[in-house]
Structures are given as structure tokens and as C-alpha cells.
């Protein structure tokens, strides 16, 4: 089964974050192991965001985390956030279309 990483964070600098996310997509082309990402914003809490990133496996997610491009974006992201982003590492137990 797959693996999902959920990243929860607060920022007032959404546009700057969007730019570094775009930069990461370009820089990691052909190297990244993430195959799907949902970038979401909480409707009830302005400035609160949650990203949901899918990987084929935990091992592939860790490989992706070790990419220099990923390390660079993580540093830049932390600088733009109000506080430390929260990461949840989730093993997919069931994957059903309902």
C-alpha cells in the first residue's frame, strides 16, 4: 500500500509559498517520488493550510525527503510559516473510491 504525508502549517505569506512550491516542482522534475499533492486552505481559519502528499511507499517518501531540492524548499517554507509546520506520516491501510 501507499504512504501519505500531511503537512499542516500557518502563514500569512501564501503567495510566496506558492512560488517556492512551483520552484520545487520545476527543480525536482524527474527526481521526486511524490505522485499526487493536494494543497488546501482551511475555510474557517484564515492562514491555516494543509498539504496532503501521496507516495508509493514510506521508503519512496523518505527518498523524496532526502532530495536536495526538498531540503531547500523545507527550509524556505519554515521561514515563511508562523511556527513550525506539523508533519504526519500515514501508512495507507485502505484505498477505496466510494
Amino acid at each position: 500500500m501507499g504512504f501519505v504525508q500531511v503537512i499542516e502549517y500557518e502563514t500569512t505569506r501564501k503567495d510566496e509559498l506558492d512560488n517556492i512550491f512551483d520552484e520545487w516542482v520545476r527543480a525536482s522534475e524527474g527526481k521526486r517520488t511524490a505522485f499526487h499533492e493536494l494543497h488546501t486552505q482551511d475555510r474557517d481559519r484564515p492562514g491555516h493550510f494543509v498539504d496532503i502528499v501521496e507516495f508509493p511507499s514510506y521508503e519512496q517518501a523518505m527518498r523524496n525527503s532526502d532530495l536536495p531540492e526538498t531540503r531547500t524548499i523545507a527550509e524556505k517554507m519554515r521561514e515563511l510559516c508562523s511556527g513550525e509546520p506539523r508533519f504526519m506520516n500515514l501508512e495507507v491501510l485502505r484505498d477505496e473510491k466510494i
Side-chain angles (χ1 to χ4, degrees):
M1 276 292 189
F3 182 79
V4 175
Q5 189 170 63
V6 177
I7 309 161
E8 182 178 29
Y9 54 95
E10 306 273 339
T11 187
T12 58
R13 301 167 73 178
K14 178 192 172 303
D15 292 339
E16 291 174 75
L17 272 175
D18 285 343
N19 290 337
I20 66 167
F21 292 150
D22 292 342
E23 177 186 319
W24 177 79
V25 168
R26 285 189 301 276
S28 64
E29 183 69 36
K31 301 177 203 174
R32 67 179 172 270
T33 59
F35 65 84
H36 185 226
E37 190 250 350
L38 292 169
H39 177 63
T40 69
Q41 181 174 353
D42 191 329
R43 292 181 63 100
D44 300 321
R45 292 172 54 196
H48 182 242
F49 298 86
V50 177
D51 293 350
I52 304 160
V53 188
E54 293 183 72
F55 299 90
S57 67
Y58 170 79
E59 293 76 20
Q60 291 295 317
M62 294 305 100
R63 190 171 135 223
N64 192 79
S65 292
D66 286 338
L67 291 173
E69 296 83 0
T70 302
R71 289 182 183 177
T72 298
I73 192 176
E75 286 177 30
K76 290 179 180 180
M77 181 181 178
R78 282 185 176 95
E79 292 171 8
L80 297 174
C81 289
S82 310
E84 192 68 22
R86 178 176 173 234
F87 289 82
M88 289 179 275
N89 296 309
L90 308 172
E91 296 285 348
V92 176
L93 301 178
R94 291 173 59 165
D95 181 4
E96 299 177 26
K97 305 289 183 214
I98 55 171

